[in-house]
Amino acid sequence: MDKRILITGGAGFLGSHLCELFLEKGYEVICIDNLITGNLNNISHLFGQERFKFIKHDVTNFIYVEGKLDYILHFASPASPIDYLNFPIQTLKVGSLGTHKALGLAKEKNATFLLASTSEIYGDPLVNPQSEEYWGNVNPVGPRGVYDEAKRFAEAMTMAYHRYHGVDTRIVRIFNTYGPRMRPFDGRVVPTFINQVLDGEDLTVFGDGLQTRSFCYVKDLIEGIYSLLLSKEINPVNIGNPEERTVIDFARLILELMNSDRKVIFKPLPVDDPKVRRPDITRAREILGWNPAIGIEEGLMATIEYFRRMREK
Ligand code: UDP
């Protein structure tokens, strides 16, 4: 094995799991991150390995890498609603300029390029579940627009590099994912609820809690991304777990799994919060033979355990 892979955003939640996976498979891994939302703790256990290299760099600037590259995975971006509200300009820049730089590098190195896109490109969807054919319902000027539009632009740029420059590309549309290495206070619902219970607080449900999400455990997601990379599929592919539930049911499930008698309290719904979200994964099933395998209870128990352990450190 002499494959070399570059992972932008490699110190983040998903990026760090990808670094680990490709090291396990024998690849040489170059991880780039500017650490605005990524964290070295996610990859510190990899530093001793000879085939692992970390470069602190903002990929909106020219990316220089010596030697060959077989694959580039572009995962750099703030990715939780509060992160992209805190870093709106960086979010737009990394999705646009950063994608352009990463694609330019893929072209130069003749590498296969994989873009981390998102279910957010469907916006507040008018159809449920969302298949890849659906064009979405996005508010360009709302607070989430910085992320949604950056990722939509990134998809368009990826297809342009494929069509015009012949770069071998993949686009994964990632739906809500959870698991170890999420930041406890990134504002997303899974770490928020778990850490509220650990802090002895009530769970903050936004709106009436009847909005739905479908949660995929990180291990399943990473395996789906790996299959997509090794496939020949140029069109976008949804990867996520189609098991859909309301946010309020999800809050109750967390309380039950954590044996907690805390309550649910209601807070205002954030602007443009999607009312439904559920991936149609027919394409992933048919083309990749991929299916999520880890149920919500098993995945949540592992995630709860992770947050508990983090507090003991
Ligand atoms: N949410 C909630 N309480 C929280 C955090 C989030 O009720 O403390 C809701 C949020 O309004 C959304 C859902 O949970 O409807 C998922 O939110 P998250 O930020 O995890 O990701 P999103 O799917 O909105 O990108």
Side-chain angles (χ1 to χ4, degrees), residues 81 84 120 144 176 187-190 192-193 196 204-206 211 213 247 269-270 273-274 277:
Y84 44 79
E120 279 285 326
R144 301 173 90 102
N176 292 68
R188 284 188 278 204
V189 70
V190 178
T192 303
F193 284 176
Q196 283 170 336
T204 52
V205 167
F206 297 163
Q211 69 273 31
R213 292 294 185 274
V247 168
L269 190 68
D273 197 281
R277 182 181 290 152

Side-chain angles (χ1 to χ4, degrees), residues 238-306:
N238 290 338
I239 300 281
N241 189 322
E243 207 183 297
E244 183 181 13
R245 62 191 72 235
T246 62
V247 168
I248 188 131
D249 280 350
F250 186 69
R252 293 196 185 111
L253 176 63
I254 299 261
L255 291 174
E256 191 190 312
L257 290 178
M258 297 182 78
N259 282 321
S260 169
D261 54 9
R262 302 309 306 196
K263 293 192 304 297
V264 161
I265 54 170
F266 293 91
K267 299 269 181 183
L269 190 68
V271 176
D272 296 335
D273 197 281
K275 285 178 272 308
V276 290
R277 182 181 290 152
R278 173 187 182 179
D280 178 336
I281 57 167
T282 311
R283 190 176 282 178
R285 281 191 178 124
E286 287 177 354
I287 293 173
L288 312 177
W290 175 85
N291 249 315
I294 297 165
I296 189 83
E297 299 198 358
E298 184 188 349
L300 278 176
M301 290 314 285
T303 310
I304 292 163
E305 184 52 34
Y306 168 78

Side-chain angles (χ1 to χ4, degrees), residues 173-192:
R173 292 189 179 149
I174 299 170
F175 281 67
N176 292 68
T177 303
Y178 69 96
R181 307 215 187 109
M182 292 185 98
R183 295 183 349 263
F185 302 104
D186 79 353
R188 284 188 278 204
V189 70
V190 178
T192 303

Side-chain angles (χ1 to χ4, degrees), residues 86-98:
N86 287 334
F87 304 108
I89 314 282
Q90 287 97 326
T91 303
L92 281 160
K93 282 177 71 180
V94 75
S96 55
L97 305 178

